Amino acid sequence: MRQNKLYTVIACMGMLLVGVSCMDNYEKLPVDQFTGEYVFSVTDSMGTQASSFLNSIYDLLPEGHNGVGGDYLDAASDDAISIKQNDPSVYQLAVGRYSANSRIYPVMEWGRYYEGIRKANIIINNIDVVPYKTTFINFNKEVKPLNYTVKAEARFLRTFFYFELVKRYGGVPIIGDSIYQLGDNIELPRNTFEECIDYMVNELDEIKYDLRSITMPEASVFAHAATIEAAMALKSRILLFAASPLYNEKPVTTDNSKLKELVGYESFNNERWKKAADAAMDFMDTFGSNGNRSVGLTNNFTEIFLGFYSGAVNPELIFFRQGGRNKNIETNNGPLGFTGNSLGNGRTNPTQNLVDAFPMKDGKARGESSEQYPYNSQRPYDNRDPRLQLTVLYNGADWLGRQLQTYRGGANNPTGSAEYTRTSYYMRKFMGNFENTNEYDNNYHLWVIFRYAEILLNYAEASNEYTDSPSREVYDAIIALRARAGIEAGDNNMYGLKDNMSKKEMRTVIQNERRIEMAFEEHRFWDIRRWRVAQDVFANPLKGMSIIRTVSSETYTETDLFKVNFEEKHYLLPIPYSEVNKNGNLIQNPGW
Amino acid sequence: MKKIITIFVFLNVLLFAYSQSFQQKGVITSTEGEALIGVNILIIGEGTGTITDLDGYYELEVKPGDRLRFSYVGYMTREMDVNTNQTTVDVQLAPDQYTNLDEVVVVGYGQAKRLTMTGSVSAISAREIRTVPTSNVQNALAGRLPGFFAQQRSGQPGRDASDFFIRGVSSLNNAGNQPLIIVDDIQYSYDQLQQINVNEIESISILKDASTTAIYGIKGANGVLVVKTLRGETGAPRVNVRLESGLQTPVRKPKFLNSYETAQLVNEAYVNDGLVSQVPFTETDLAAFQRGDDPYTYPDVNWYDAIFKPTASQSNMNVDISGGSDRLRYFISTGYFLQDGLVRHFDNSHDNVNTNYFYRRLNYRTNLDFDVTDNLNMRLDFSTRFMNINEPGSMNATGEIFNFERMTPYAAPFLNPNGSYSYLDTRGFLPTLNARLANEGYKRTRRNDINILYGAMYKMDAITRGLSSNVRVAYSSIDENFRRVSRGSDGYPTYRYHPDTDIYTINPNEKYDYATYSVTSGVDQEHWNLNLQASLNYDRVFDGVHDVDAMLLYNRQTDTRFSNVPNNFEGYSLALAYKYDNKYLADLNLAYNGSDRFGKDNRYGFFPALGLGYTISEEDFFSDRIENIQMLKLRLSYGLVGSDVAPGDRYLYRQVYEDGGGYNFGENLQGYDSYREGALGNENVTWEKARKFNLGLDVIAFDKLSFTIDYFHDNRYDQLVTRHDIPLILGIGVSPLNVARTINRGFDGSIGYQTGIGQVNFHTNFVFSYAKNKVIYKAEAQQRYPWLAETGHSINQPFGYQFIGFYTPEEIGWIENSDPLAPAIPNTDTPVRAGDLKYKDLNNDGVIDDFDKSAIGKPNLPTTALGWTLGANWKGFSLSVLFQGSFDYSFSVVGTGIESFKSQFQPVHIKRWTLERFENGEAIDFPRLTTIPSTVNSAEGYMSDFWLINAWYVRLKTIDFAYQIPSRVLPQYINAARFYVNAYNLLTLTNYKKYQQDPEISTNTAGDAYMNQRVFNFGVQVTF
């Protein structure tokens, strides 16, 4: 009897043992993870998985809205400052407090772009196994299977990432279509600046007919995708940078002969401006007002940033990153002094320097304007270029059904607050049309990467630099922008432009027009570098407006905020110190 | 002399020789108050005696002049003359802590005799730490075990457990340095240990070398902490009740300057920065602050005192019942621990919730042993722990007080005259801290731990004598979730009072009523662990001299967290021990085990370790000549152990693609999947390995002195680290590779001494530990300058600038004139000024930047830990004192803990650099004050050896005084009763003045964790 009990116990224990061993191994491999064969599947005739992989490359495109530690990159130029006084990264960037070792993200990315390049190479090397049944019709009306465009989009994005690297660092290592593995020798040297430019331009020319074109079929799915227009816009931008003084006429000086060809062209060649001008002209002739008109200027300046491709409403978009339907931009950057659904944190404060760059309503500079549109330093926002009020919120501007009080102590610039606008301005651009509503509402917010206005400006600049004196087309390009902006045409239909300007005068006009038209769109930071004028620009202090209100009057006084000491070495960004350490063949930029 | 005594004794004997014999009786207890069962009581010379019964009670017929000897295993023997006037004699026996040759310590899967052990083990009986008034076992262990390093980072109720390490650290993976914790042979997690009630514990050991840890193979590399819980013994039920109640108060209370002093310094900083026009306080303001007669316009609040009480209570109750019949033995224990926080209660008129910190813990354990047959023994252990932690819902109250941006002494009055709360005029009109504590809710964390252990042991002497088999199944689970009740700081009304007009103005956020609380909840932990062990044991002595022990163990463990796929572990271990006549000792431990974290071909590893011992004192030639040395033993061990803790993803060995989150596009904003490539797999990933060498010496001499020392040298290699020398051009992350190597070496040991002087028993023990590590290789890229390299330094070596003084006005002049004499300047946009911190320009490029950072100070973990225990017993009284010290480490406080305009102004700011103080040659402890957060004076931006200080501390860690009531005054039904008072962290000596914080602070933080606590405690223990 007792023995039986014992056996029962032992049997129970045995059962337990078996039970335990049955409970292990849910699954041999984690079922929520998958391998390359699944992503590039021989049975996926829709290419769904491959598209998902492509999406992750798009995800690496820059998000410019409040993208630098919560600020716009333009707050590191002379156009704006951050409201934050606790040493935000954009301020460190502005004053040059960075080094190869303490870099400021995301502006000084290096690895992120090589991550994108690797991903693109994975698509390029693997997409052909996916049996796409779908086809598309390209710009030349040829029918092609969809994997052509998937591969071409990957190559476009790869070129885009290379250009992001080149504009920061000069020549960088080009890795071709290789997908490196552990153990491969990846101590690659930098390619020369020229090789990089040629590689990128060649890539774009090769892929352009494999891309789809505007108007995109199935915009609800593909609106964001790279098109032939995007590729040609990128080409225009690349060639404009390549021709610019920083890389062409006057690269940063260096004693190191090996570095010379990395930071720019070895010698100046004016023909590069022609290439740039031709690329822009080619764009206008093919897609713009002289071509099939798939792209053009949007009538309403604010709509550019709020709506998708639409030939009727927003033809100006060429390429963008989707930002979502929300109030984020308004909440981050709207004026202080509102709460609830009207809350704004006043993040980006345009400077007086930017406000001063806007001409009067007749297109003439302050003080040079006609009697009809005089400038009054105590009513400084009257009679200005209409783009001013679409770009900057100033004292007295209409917003959320009120007139803003940005004088010190006013409702929208409270004294009790630790963070107040030191310039008396807030950013208006990119926001929805909330002049007359009571609170913010959700809007589509796009981060526009290429738009038609840039092509016009690229053309105007390159052409003006190439020729001895500006051609009529240069005037036309600027006039097109001014007309759209709502500047008065004037008796001579010149929209405030002087006749027969010299090359130098025209350069000033174009540079200024680029500044105000493209403010906060991440151009100014790079433009003052490639023009090689940053040292001159920052010779002047950044300025704000001090507005003192008494019972009877308001007094406007310009105040100096701070001065930036811009050194020669700041024209190019430092390659990460750690990368130079790891890779003996990687030469650091001069001064770093 | 001897003769005189002999004569004296003889005379005595003569005197009482004819006296009448009588019954002497009494109770024998340990100095901790436990009744001792089976104590031998012998009349010297007579050969007669008795033993104590289950209640420790004895009765013996004695006559005057007899001398009694009380002896009990593990306790110091006492002798005592019979006194005719006393028929009831209670005796306390002090534990023989140091010289007991038969002492047994718990090791992996068994026990070992101290005399014959070859490994390196430190052990402590739980009764020594039972009365330490802390809720965590590991806090009570600091300073008591050689090789044990502890750092208590916080005093927050329920979150105050020390981090601890055995023999320091040797892995570059931070998580890879945690010792394995084994309770009753089952693995516990780090935070399960802190939940255990010390009243349930019998003893604790730490296993330090390869010989003792190899049996745990892949998990043993960081040392093992082994806990054995109490079990019942045959006998009548014995009830043990312990009630304690105590007061907590901060070890170190931060001091801040008052409004007047602060306002002066604020003004000075503005002037320093050239912002003369923006100076915030006028002379009138300053005078008003100084007068302090207008508390509403010119408040002066010591926010620390306003928010925190001086003391908070804690109490601990424990009841255990143990006993057993022939076949069944039981131990049942229930404990409840309460600890309150220091935050005062602040009312709000709308809805009161408790936002104070507190901790509640209920422990329950049943350990049952059942002899089913003579050969089959089964056990069932069940224990559970319910925990409740409360804290303010959205803030760290200490941090808020330190933070100058959130609070200043003049920011707002504590309360308005009508009792309403005020708000700060600056910084977003934040309500005062008391208002926020009253209104912004709490976070309550609840946790439930269950452990079940079911075991069976079957003696198989029928097959061969000494053979037995053992099976254990253990299950444990943890559930932890939280509830957070919160309301934003703009969710309730606060007012500003204007005394001149007697008007209250509401906070500009214009909230006239209370917003409802929002409730969130979440799950912090869900953890299940199932462990199965089966072993065959063989233990037999042949011919009286050949002692053979063997164990073959199968162990498998499945560990599941949340809904993840379980981690599996499987292993076989073989332990062989041979002892020849207790002289020549050999231990061979072999483990073969694996973990499914690693790829198919790299899953299993083999971990052998050999331990050898030679007890010279057992040799006849030795014991014949040297009487005063009872034990002299040399030990040596060498072996391989592993660690399967790997950073990051579980499947390091394969490359997978994974979901990369959605990417939105399209007019209707649809989310689309995005896939991304995962980090490149490392097919060869495997565990870290440690080759451990240990050489030890044990001495017991004069029956009073014990000495143990161990030297160790660990070579930790194949450490999993992410290579830092792979260019990012690769474009993808890389799994950690088994490349890094460190060595860790040092020594630890103890010296114990005990003696009896008359009625007084005295004992002392000095414990020392030293461990220093060095990184040999960590796949670091070649640095531009040699001083930037981390290889060759200790793990977690801090790097920073070298402070060489303050910039003088003369030097600033040179800098402005670009004089060649000018010192190097930092790369900041704000020019340096006189009184700023000046750092050494290591690369001589004239700029202070990252290339001038070198190794400064020492790692935060002390290399040296010392403990010194002193104890004495006299009659019913006992006193025990522990000093604990840590030496040879560094720490710094940054940001809101110290920097001007980030931190509250503190006494150290008075000793700042000013031109006047500089010219007067006064002591300067702080740089020029500045309002700009990013200057060279910021510790956050420019860590340097100005901020990083080398520290040491010595604490009077515990002091314990107890009185045992004589049994003759106790009622019959009470077996023993004992009162005690004790204190924890009573005194702290340390060597720095710069910071307000406790020396165990976590380095490079604001140092604003909840203050470590000093505890005064009163307790009573009664045994029925």
Side-chain angles (χ1 to χ4, degrees), chain B residues 296 413 415-423 494-507 512:
Chain B
Y296 296 103
L415 285 177
N416 292 321
N418 68 353
S420 62
Y421 290 115
S422 187
Y423 62 87
T494 49
Y495 307 87
R496 198 88 197 176
Y497 174 67
H498 304 277
D500 40 344
T501 52
D502 200 27
I503 284 175
Y504 290 83
T505 49
I506 194 155
N507 188 317
Y512 290 93

Side-chain angles (χ1 to χ4, degrees), chain A residues 20 39 62 85 130 133 137 144 173 191 212 225 259 264 295 299 355 368 376 382 393 413 418 468 511 558 564 575 579:
Chain A
V20 169
V39 176
Q85 292 181 35
V130 182
K133 295 238 162 58
I137 300 172
K144 294 192 171 188
N191 286 71
R212 288 167 289 190
L259 253 177
V295 180
N299 287 330
V355 172
E368 293 170 15
N376 175 349
D382 290 357
L393 289 171
N413 196 2
D468 293 333
Q511 291 188 350
E558 290 188 0
V564 170
I575 292 174
E579 292 306 296

Side-chain angles (χ1 to χ4, degrees), chain A residues 165-182:
Chain A
L165 286 164
V166 168
K167 80 176 177 189
R168 286 165 168 77
Y169 306 107
V172 294
I174 295 176
I175 62 174
D177 294 347
S178 308
I179 305 165
Y180 290 108
Q181 298 300 325
L182 273 181

Side-chain angles (χ1 to χ4, degrees), chain B residues 260 263 267 279-291 297-298:
Chain B
Y260 175 61
N267 274 0
V279 164
F281 300 103
T282 63
E283 287 301 321
T284 326
D285 295 337
L286 290 176
F289 279 130
Q290 197 170 18
R291 281 196 313 276
T297 319
Y298 297 102

Side-chain angles (χ1 to χ4, degrees), chain A residues 84 336-339 343-345 414-420, chain B residues 404-407 422-432 436 440 488-492 494 496 506-510:
Chain A
K84 290 273 170 198
L336 300 179
F338 295 97
T339 55
L343 176 76
N345 288 306
T415 43
S417 170
E419 279 158 2
Y420 57 91
Chain B
F404 189 76
E405 290 189 3
R406 317 270 279 182
M407 196 50 83
S422 187
Y423 62 87
L424 277 64
D425 238 350
T426 54
R427 302 282 162 193
F429 314 114
L430 197 68
T432 55
R436 291 166 55 210
E440 294 183 17
S489 52
D490 55 357
Y492 49 93
T494 49
R496 198 88 197 176
I506 194 155
N507 188 317
N509 66 38
E510 297 188 337

Side-chain angles (χ1 to χ4, degrees), chain A residues 446-463:
Chain A
L446 311 181
W447 176 249
V448 178
I449 296 172
F450 293 111
R451 62 180 173 106
Y452 190 56
E454 182 191 343
I455 305 294
L456 298 179
L457 287 162
N458 290 355
Y459 172 74
E461 181 182 338
S463 173

Side-chain angles (χ1 to χ4, degrees), chain A residues 260-477:
Chain A
K260 224 169 158 56
E261 56 180 15
L262 302 182
V263 298
Y265 286 106
E266 281 193 282
S267 56
F268 172 66
N269 185 347
N270 202 40
E271 289 302 310
R272 293 186 189 119
W273 283 119
K274 180 163 194 318
K275 276 191 183 174
D278 288 351
M281 181 53 91
D282 185 43
F283 190 102
M284 298 186 313
D285 284 349
T286 316
F287 314 109
S289 41
N290 312 331
N292 71 353
R293 293 174 177 269
S294 60
V295 180
L297 290 177
T298 298
N299 287 330
N300 183 333
F301 189 68
T302 57
E303 286 302 318
I304 302 166
F305 310 100
L306 302 176
F308 289 101
Y309 297 128
S310 158
V313 180
N314 193 9
E316 192 163 337
L317 270 193
I318 299 172
F319 191 54
F320 64 92
R321 183 190 169 104
Q322 168 68 266
R325 189 155 192 274
N326 51 43
K327 299 193 274 279
N328 289 355
I329 294 175
E330 289 81 4
T331 310
N332 287 331
N333 306 294
L336 300 179
F338 295 97
T339 55
N341 276 335
S342 312
L343 176 76
N345 288 306
R347 195 65 202 248
T348 304
N349 301 154
T351 55
Q352 186 62 39
N353 312 47
L354 174 66
V355 172
D356 286 347
F358 283 88
M360 305 307 290
K361 195 164 170 39
D362 58 8
K364 294 195 160 63
R366 290 179 307 159
E368 293 170 15
S369 61
S370 57
E371 281 176 20
Q372 196 188 347
Y373 300 112
Y375 177 72
N376 175 349
S377 66
Q378 294 307 311
R379 297 189 60 79
Y381 316 119
D382 290 357
N383 304 325
R384 300 297 288 269
D385 180 337
R387 281 174 293 187
L388 175 60
Q389 63 163 311
L390 300 177
T391 306
V392 176
L393 289 171
Y394 43 77
N395 189 37
D398 291 329
W399 197 246
L400 293 172
R402 299 195 208 168
Q403 287 200 323
L404 289 179
Q405 304 174 343
T406 68
Y407 54 85
R408 194 80 183 100
N412 305 110
N413 196 2
T415 43
S417 170
E419 279 158 2
Y420 57 91
T421 166
R422 288 183 293 164
T423 63
S424 298
Y425 300 116
Y426 297 103
M427 190 187 76
R428 159 68 182 87
K429 206 169 182 176
F430 308 131
M431 298 197 200
N433 297 310
F434 298 111
E435 273 79 2
N436 300 312
T437 57
N438 284 325
E439 57 179 39
Y440 296 130
D441 210 349
N442 287 344
N443 260 311
Y444 286 119
H445 285 306
L446 311 181
W447 176 249
V448 178
I449 296 172
F450 293 111
R451 62 180 173 106
Y452 190 56
E454 182 191 343
I455 305 294
L456 298 179
L457 287 162
N458 290 355
Y459 172 74
E461 181 182 338
S463 173
N464 181 51
E465 295 295 339
Y466 179 61
T467 53
D468 293 333
S469 58
S471 64
R472 180 65 215 173
E473 284 81 7
V474 173
Y475 284 87
D476 287 348

